Each structure stands twice: as C-alpha cells, then as structure tokens.
Amino acid sequence: MVDEAKAVGTESGLPAEAGGAAAAPDGAGPSAIPADEMARMGDQIVGALKTVYDPEIPADLYELGLIYRIVIEDDRMVTIDMTLTSPSCPSAAELPGQVKNAVTSVSGVRDANVSVVWDPPWDPSRMSDEARTVLNMW
C-alpha cells in the first residue's frame, strides 16, 4: 500500500507496500546493503513499528499513519520521522523512545534516530483500513 499515510518518503529498501526501493538515500545509485537484506530489514522494521501502540488508541503507530518516513542508510543507521495525533499528546515523551527501541531490536540495524515532525499535520485520513476497522471509523 503506497500512500502518504504509510511511511512517506521511505527510502533504501523498504517493502513495496511502504513505498521503498533498494537505492542509496541520496539517489546516487544502489545501496551497499544487498537488496534481499534491505528488503528483510524493511519488512522487520515495519513489523517492529507495528508493535508500538498509542496508549490511548487501540491501534499501532504504523497503522495510525503516524510514521512519515523511514530511511535505512548504508551504515545501517535508520532514521524515522514520525508525528503524533496532537501536539498535546500525553505520550509525546515516551513514544519516540518506544519507536527507537522497536527499530533497534531488528537484526542488522545499527541504531535509530527518531524525530517528531509536525508537517504535515496528522489527521484521521492517514489511518490504514486496518486502523479504521479497529477504531470503527468508517
């Protein structure tokens, strides 16, 4: 599923559903990480992100559309841009750390840098069908 709500701007070998391709983040050519390894890491990173839940909403951050960008660098550093449902989210201090811990648990990931961004602002249209079903928001 390729859309703005799913890992906008994903780079370097994320699963096709997340819009990734096995290329260097700067567009200079193929990644130094083999394509099959990049695909595996991408799949596992998305899987790890799906284990992090907003404590007030019974859906994971990935399906809620809170993950905007995932970049896997050649040195296996992963950069995540995420947002929150609102700037006043009571879990704002904990969620980025939980995302970092989930991503760094993936085999092959050296470390992760998680940034909270506010542009574009999150809105319910960014949720996946899975999250809409869980929240009964049709």
Side-chain angles (χ1 to χ4, degrees):
M1 153 174 33
V2 179
D3 68 297
E4 291 280 318
K6 296 306 197 193
V8 171
T10 56
E11 301 166 20
S12 292
L14 286 179
E17 75 167 354
D26 61 6
S31 171
I33 301 172
D36 61 335
E37 172 73 358
M38 187 68 80
R40 180 202 59 81
M41 286 176 60
D43 287 342
Q44 290 182 355
I45 288 168
V46 169
L49 290 169
K50 289 184 176 189
T51 68
V52 182
Y53 282 74
D54 184 308
E56 297 180 317
I57 304 171
D60 68 79
L61 301 186
Y62 188 83
E63 296 300 333
L64 285 171
L66 297 174
I67 305 299
Y68 283 1
R69 189 172 76 104
I70 302 167
V71 178
I72 302 170
E73 302 287 346
D74 283 345
D75 65 357
R76 298 174 181 265
M77 177 71 174
V78 176
T79 301
I80 307 280
D81 287 349
M82 65 173 286
T83 195
L84 303 168
T85 55
S86 114
S88 60
C89 174
S91 300
E94 294 88 26
L95 289 174
Q98 290 176 9
V99 166
K100 178 179 175 136
N101 289 340
V103 171
T104 57
S105 74
V106 171
S107 174
V109 171
R110 182 175 59 85
D111 200 1
N113 180 26
V114 179
S115 298
V116 175
V117 298
W118 300 107
D119 187 35
W122 181 86
D123 67 69
S125 70
R126 299 177 100 39
M127 292 190 297
S128 70
D129 290 346
E130 181 179 319
R132 289 179 192 286
T133 300
V134 168
L135 300 173
N136 197 24
M137 292 184 70
W138 291 101

